[in-house]
Amino acid sequence: MNMPRFWREKQGRYNLVGNRCTNCGTYYFPKRDICPKCHRKSIGKMEEVRFKGTGKVVSWTIVHDAHPDYKDMRPYIMAIIELEEGPRLTGQIVDCSLDEIHTGMRVRDTFRKLSEDGKDGVIFYGYKFRPVKE
Amino acid sequence: MRDVYVIGAGTTRFGELWERSFRDIGIEAGIKAINDSGITGNDIDALYIGNMSAGAFINQEHVGALIADYVGLAGSLHIPATRVEAAGASGALAFKEAYLSISSGMYDIVVVGGAEKMTDIGDEMANYITSMAIDQEWETVFGATYASLQAMMARAHMERYGTTREQLGMVSVINHRHGALNPDAQFQREIKLETVLKSGYVAEPLRVFDMAPLSDGAAALVLASGDVARKYTDRPVKVKAIGQASDTISLHDRREICTMDSTVYAAKRAYDMAGMGPEDIDVAEVYDSSTIAEIMAIEDLGFFPKGEGGKAVEDEKIALGGEIPINTSGGLKARGHPVGATGVAQIVEIVKQLRGDADRRQVKDAKIGLAHAVGGSGATAVVSILEAEI
Ligand SMILES: [Zn+2]
């Protein structure tokens, strides 16, 4: 991915910022201009939200065959995470041993390096998740 | 809406065809289908080409015109050529566009092709390009691969329905068994369950033998309106229905991850259009980009209740001679998966089955067949139903 394309979504990826439809209360990540449930009624009623960053693992995998800029991290855990507020997203789980990871695990976001420097010599940063010790 | 028939079908051999170019394979499939139908170049009104990513795989875009040129339809006849892209559903959607162009009354005879050349670059790069069908902004950038999303579907399916690692493996075993009977398949040898279970991990719990390979290959069909079809063949195959549906581009945004809603909706639309149900289907080609994808497909198409796909595979209900033979061609796993060609190749197999031309892998008395193609992790699904008309 090139720098301008990454940079446009920086706020969401750095700070876990999405929004909420104040008409129906549904949270969205990434941000949406219009609520798919309320359509026109949501215009001008989408409010920016910074998510708490806590959630649980919906499903997960340990990646062995990775794309070029991610090879050095192998094997790494990818997961679908459901945030406490409702939206789901895809992210890596770090600071977690490979036998510890499980469905339903509670996790919290953390700011990390996403990939090695690629073609453009730029390193991308953004959210990953780590286990919440209970 | 006019009736539309398939009057010709052909494919190249699938595999690592290092000595052959994108043009070579496109031409071979096209010529085979045209010869099979008995038409000549002058009869063709239009050409539709399914292709996912020639730009990334071989640095060549504009492949609709390119194929038209090299099949000899552009320079003198100036036949209109259109490329269609929807990742793994590209070929199936090219078929749909061709169908619509005839049923609308605009054209009488149309050629549909699908082609992909994936082995001119390294495996790592090819896998990266394949993953361009998933969400680059919100999946890939975080480290997700195409296989990793399939793996998360597999885990969810195993945890919810009790699908086992062995059941997943049997999908690959059966597809290889079928592929061994198909002279055009990339892999024509049977494998043991142990081979699947001992192959290296791609993304846990999925292993190398759970995933469709990288392939080169092309497939083509000739479609015609009802009155025209009878002039060329006494055994046309009727296109009964085509259903298509979309879902979110990111897997995590879906209603759930172990049902593919796009397949459910595409199937419902196709069954409604055909006035049929899953119980009427004699043979089907489904989209096994991974073993879990096939298990989900046979459930979401209605062949087996949700959650019982794994058991149906274990009981070999989907093998030749079983309740409903699935992927008699070998499927994506054994026939090969040149992405843009796959949707067309699936229909070529169904046409062979319905004409009784499938040789050693012939399903006895097959009258109605179904083809199912998926784009990305399930953001597009296309279901086509065909019927033998004797
Ligand atoms: Zn709303």
Side-chain angles (χ1 to χ4, degrees):
Chain A
M1 183 166 297
N2 63 31
M3 196 57 202
R5 189 172 168 196
F6 188 88
W7 181 83
R8 278 193 293 271
E9 302 294 342
K10 193 163 69 99
Q11 197 196 18
R13 294 201 192 100
Y14 280 17
N15 299 319
L16 217 55
V17 170
N19 59 3
R20 188 177 81 100
C21 167
T22 55
N23 192 55
C24 71
T26 309
Y27 287 86
Y28 293 100
F29 183 84
K31 269 199 238 181
R32 285 177 181 263
D33 293 332
I34 290 173
C35 171
K37 293 182 185 166
C38 302
H39 306 286
R40 282 182 55 185
K41 278 188 277 179
S42 68
I43 293 172
K45 293 191 171 166
M46 302 301 286
E47 178 186 84
E48 197 170 278
V49 170
R50 190 189 192 294
F51 288 97
K52 281 187 273 184
T54 51
K56 61 173 202 250
V57 171
V58 174
S59 191
W60 57 276
T61 177
I62 298 167
V63 177
H64 293 261
D65 281 3
H67 292 151
D69 298 347
Y70 300 81
K71 270 164 65 180
D72 293 348
M73 301 173 192
R74 288 174 305 170
Y76 58 85
I77 305 168
M78 285 305 308
I80 292 177
I81 292 130
E82 185 170 294
L83 297 174
E84 223 171 286
E85 294 89 344
R88 289 178 173 189
L89 46 75
T90 297
Q92 272 188 42
I93 309 284
V94 293
D95 302 340
C96 176
S97 76
L98 299 181
D99 2 303
E100 193 187 352
I101 177 73
H102 61 269
T103 301
M105 177 185 255
R106 293 192 37 78
V107 293
R108 161 177 295 285
D109 73 320
T110 174
F111 185 73
R112 297 291 169 95
K113 185 169 83 170
L114 292 181
S115 66
E116 299 305 319
D117 49 337
K119 277 188 294 217
D120 306 335
V122 181
I123 296 173
F124 296 123
Y125 291 87
Y127 56 75
K128 290 187 181 179
F129 290 81
R130 60 190 162 78
V132 175
K133 306 290 176 198
E134 332 236 352
Chain B
M1 299 274 281
R2 300 195 297 171
D3 287 344
V4 179
Y5 292 82
V6 178
I7 62 168
T11 72
T12 63
R13 189 177 165 184
F14 283 15
E16 293 179 344
L17 311 175
W18 287 324
E19 73 294 354
R20 314 196 61 205
S21 71
F22 181 86
R23 296 171 202 220
D24 293 338
I25 58 176
I27 296 161
E28 183 192 330
I31 303 278
K32 277 183 172 167
I34 289 168
N35 287 345
D36 181 50
S37 69
I39 62 165
T40 64
N42 289 300
D43 301 321
I44 299 168
D45 294 319
L47 178 65
Y48 289 85
I49 299 288
N51 171 262
M52 174 185 166
S53 210
F57 285 120
I58 59 166
N59 292 316
Q60 176 71 60
E61 304 291 9
H62 208 178
V63 296
L66 178 110
I67 300 266
D69 180 6
Y70 277 76
V71 199
L73 297 175
S76 51
L77 297 168
H78 307 288
I79 304 294
T82 307
R83 169 185 172 178
V84 180
E85 191 276 319
S90 300
L93 276 192
F95 177 70
K96 184 190 171 200
E97 292 307 310
Y99 168 87
L100 288 172
S101 74
I102 295 173
S103 72
S104 68
M106 189 169 190
Y107 301 135
D108 288 321
I109 297 180
V110 172
V111 174
V112 189
E116 207 81 60
K117 178 78 190 165
M118 301 170 77
T119 70
D120 276 1
I121 49 171
D123 289 4
E124 196 175 86
M125 199 55 206
N127 281 319
Y128 178 60
I129 294 166
T130 307
S131 285
M132 289 178 183
I134 66 174
D135 192 338
Q136 295 297 294
E137 301 269 4
W138 301 103
E139 292 178 325
T140 315
V141 77
F142 295 99
T145 59
Y146 182 86
S148 72
L149 302 188
Q150 300 285 315
M152 289 195 275
M153 294 186 224
R155 184 168 318 274
H157 204 277
M158 292 164 91
E159 290 182 353
R160 184 177 305 180
Y161 300 114
T163 302
T164 67
R165 196 33 276 201
E166 289 72 19
Q167 290 168 347
L168 290 170
M170 277 307 291
V171 172
S172 187
V173 170
I174 293 169
N175 283 334
H176 277 262
R177 192 190 301 162
H178 293 168
L181 304 173
N182 180 359
D184 292 324
Q186 181 163 358
F187 301 114
Q188 299 178 29
R189 64 184 171 85
E190 298 198 19
I191 56 163
K192 291 194 165 71
L193 181 57
E194 228 179 60
T195 309
V196 185
L197 302 182
K198 283 186 175 166
S199 60
Y201 276 126
V202 176
E204 296 180 37
L206 298 182
R207 297 171 179 273
V208 172
F209 273 79
D210 287 300
M211 304 303 298
L214 299 165
S215 318
D216 305 326
L221 297 159
V222 180
L223 271 56
S225 57
D227 44 335
V228 174
R230 290 281 169 195
K231 283 189 217 160
Y232 291 96
T233 176
D234 50 5
R235 45 176 202 165
V237 171
K238 188 176 184 180
V239 184
K240 287 287 286 184
I242 305 177
Q244 181 189 348
S246 307
D247 205 337
T248 63
I249 189 84
S250 282
L251 176 65
H252 58 241
D253 280 330
R254 308 231 174 106
R255 183 181 64 82
E256 67 152 289
I257 64 171
C258 46
T259 296
M260 213 171 268
D261 278 347
S262 55
T263 295
V264 172
Y265 279 78
K268 184 182 179 338
R269 286 166 189 162
Y271 290 138
D272 287 351
M273 185 174 169
M276 291 176 180
E279 65 284 355
D280 296 312
I281 307 299
D282 300 315
V283 58
E285 289 282 304
V286 311
Y287 197 82
D288 60 309
S289 58
S290 69
T291 51
I292 187 61
E294 177 160 334
I295 289 180
M296 284 166 60
I298 59 177
E299 296 169 348
D300 299 340
L301 291 166
F303 299 143
F304 301 98
K306 193 70 210 175
E308 294 177 24
K311 186 75 173 59
V313 171
E314 184 183 333
D315 295 343
E316 303 209 3
K317 290 181 178 171
I318 61 159
L320 268 168
E323 206 171 283
I324 170 145
I326 303 285
N327 288 341
T328 54
S329 66
L332 280 57
K333 177 69 194 78
R335 181 196 54 226
H337 181 36
V339 181
T342 287
V344 179
Q346 292 177 315
I347 293 166
V348 170
E349 176 69 9
I350 294 300
V351 167
K352 285 184 179 171
Q353 288 286 355
L354 300 183
R355 286 172 172 180
D357 287 346
D359 298 325
R360 291 188 295 159
R361 59 186 196 281
Q362 182 65 47
V363 174
K364 203 165 164 281
D365 300 326
K367 292 280 177 290
I368 298 167
L370 177 149
H372 160 249
V374 171
S377 64
T380 299
V382 183
V383 172
S384 307
I385 299 174
L386 295 97
E387 184 172 20
E389 229 170 68
I390 310 295

